[in-house]
Amino acid sequence: MTQSSFSSLLFADTQLPEQVAAVMAAIETDIIRSRILPRTRLIEDHLMEDYAAKRHVVRAALAELQRLGVVVKPPHLGAQLRRFDRQGLEDLYHMRRVLHHAAIEMIEFPVPPERLAAVEAACQAHAQAAASGELIAIHRTNMAFHRELYGLCDNPYLAESIRLHDWLSFPVRAYGVADAQALEQACDEHQAMVQAVRAGNRAALDALSVAHMGRARSLYEEKFLSR
């Protein structure tokens, strides 16, 4: 999958320049690989050297990641990867549960065959990415699966809120991408979600939606909040 197709996959409302999308993907990959940790300063000169990119490209990538909530700029400290404390993490995941529950309540069953097929295709794309081991593809196809699944609510404002909270939680969820056990569990849960949609089982889908958030959050808590 090319960087331009990644850009169109995740940024349907904004077609990012290919060079900006490439730097964003490189930063995301380094977050997933734990090369960039929460509160790590993102210094333009270093990023330019690491990613062989011009300053305006790096700035544009950081600005987009800041818009999505992945990067923050505390006063006098410069850009850095967002870090959550325990209360912030609880607040974020409470909001994600509220949004997902609302979307699932709005899905009309049975889901039309062509829309079910789109969810199934997104699930399969993520499974293929997981098998490939390509970290950025795993992350992006996971986001795409969530977009197709929760998009079944047919409320564009709710679906967009879920997409934005997926990005807000990326500094947390990133640690599940490179963890083999967490990734296997995510693939299994995606399949179970598809089966619940196919069966029109709202209660099962709602329970899976909540459980699906748990593994990556636990990894984050173990790394950064257990000390």
Side-chain angles (χ1 to χ4, degrees):
M1 187 177 291
T2 66
Q3 295 300 341
S4 59
S5 60
F6 275 143
S7 178
S8 62
L9 179 66
L10 266 297
F11 307 99
D13 56 341
T14 304
Q15 184 63 48
L16 295 173
E18 186 170 352
Q19 289 179 320
V20 175
V23 170
M24 284 185 65
I27 293 172
E28 291 163 46
T29 301
D30 280 348
I31 294 170
I32 292 167
R33 288 176 172 164
S34 296
R35 293 175 179 170
I36 297 175
L37 298 173
R39 293 186 183 158
T40 296
R41 290 188 63 199
L42 301 172
I43 300 170
E44 288 181 6
D45 288 345
H46 294 174
L47 298 178
M48 290 166 60
E49 181 178 352
D50 289 345
Y51 306 137
K54 295 183 178 179
R55 188 175 302 277
H56 74 277
V57 173
V58 168
R59 284 183 175 173
L62 290 176
E64 182 64 15
L65 288 170
Q66 183 181 10
R67 184 183 75 83
L68 293 167
V70 175
V71 167
V72 295
K73 287 188 175 182
H76 314 300
L77 292 178
Q80 58 184 239
L81 178 63
R82 181 186 291 273
R83 177 166 183 165
F84 294 94
D85 60 18
R86 194 170 296 279
Q87 186 59 54
L89 192 65
E90 177 57 35
D91 290 344
L92 172 63
Y93 273 77
H94 173 77
M95 191 63 193
R96 293 188 74 206
R97 290 192 299 271
V98 168
L99 291 170
H100 290 189
H101 176 73
I104 290 167
E105 283 296 305
M106 295 178 69
I107 297 174
E108 292 189 12
F109 293 114
V111 171
E114 66 277 8
R115 301 193 67 185
L116 176 59
V119 175
E120 291 174 332
C123 179
Q124 182 62 28
H126 176 258
Q128 291 173 347
S132 76
E134 296 180 14
L135 297 179
I136 194 65
I138 295 168
H139 163 50
R140 296 293 179 89
T141 53
N142 180 62
M143 296 274 282
F145 173 75
H146 291 178
R147 191 181 72 242
E148 290 292 345
L149 176 65
Y150 297 112
L152 294 173
C153 72
D154 285 332
N155 182 320
Y157 302 102
L158 178 54
E160 178 65 5
S161 293
I162 290 171
R163 187 184 75 89
L164 291 176
H165 279 77
D166 268 0
W167 273 110
L168 276 172
S169 62
F170 170 64
V172 179
R173 295 185 302 100
Y175 300 98
V177 175
D179 183 276
Q181 185 178 0
L183 183 56
E184 181 179 1
Q185 180 178 330
C187 290
D188 290 344
E189 289 168 347
H190 283 182
Q191 289 284 356
M193 288 176 177
V194 171
Q195 292 172 7
V197 172
R198 188 184 296 116
N201 190 334
R202 196 182 310 274
L205 183 59
D206 194 44
L208 284 163
S209 177
V210 173
H212 189 55
M213 302 180 197
R215 178 61 179 169
R217 176 179 175 173
S218 295
L219 288 171
Y220 188 88
E221 290 175 336
E222 291 169 9
K223 285 177 178 287
F224 302 111
L225 298 179
S226 61
R227 299 168 187 172

